[in-house]
Amino acid sequence: MPLIAIALAALAIGFEQLVQWKYGPMGIIAFVALTVGIKARNTTISGIGAVVLVMLLAQSG
């Protein structure tokens, strides 16, 4: 079980670094808002984070 938790944490950190590298500070703010919203079960915050991430993805594509 601890190995799975470590692997998931490593994947999350890797994804966070990828978002920060590709989309800058706004991407990391959106990712944090999405994560906090999901953990707190707050649909408003998670929705805002998701919308900002989608806008960043659409802008770069």
Side-chain angles (χ1 to χ4, degrees):
M1 186 67 175
L3 182 61
I4 294 171
I6 291 172
L8 287 175
L11 283 173
I13 291 171
F15 181 73
E16 183 179 346
Q17 291 297 317
L18 176 70
V19 167
Q20 184 176 9
W21 169 71
K22 187 150 178 127
Y23 303 110
M26 197 62 187
I28 211 63
I29 290 169
F31 182 70
V32 167
L34 179 64
T35 305
V36 168
I38 289 172
K39 294 238 184 221
R41 294 187 177 152
N42 188 331
T43 56
T44 304
I45 294 175
S46 60
I48 290 170
V51 167
V52 172
L53 278 176
V54 167
M55 289 174 61
L56 288 171
L57 289 170
Q59 180 183 8
S60 69

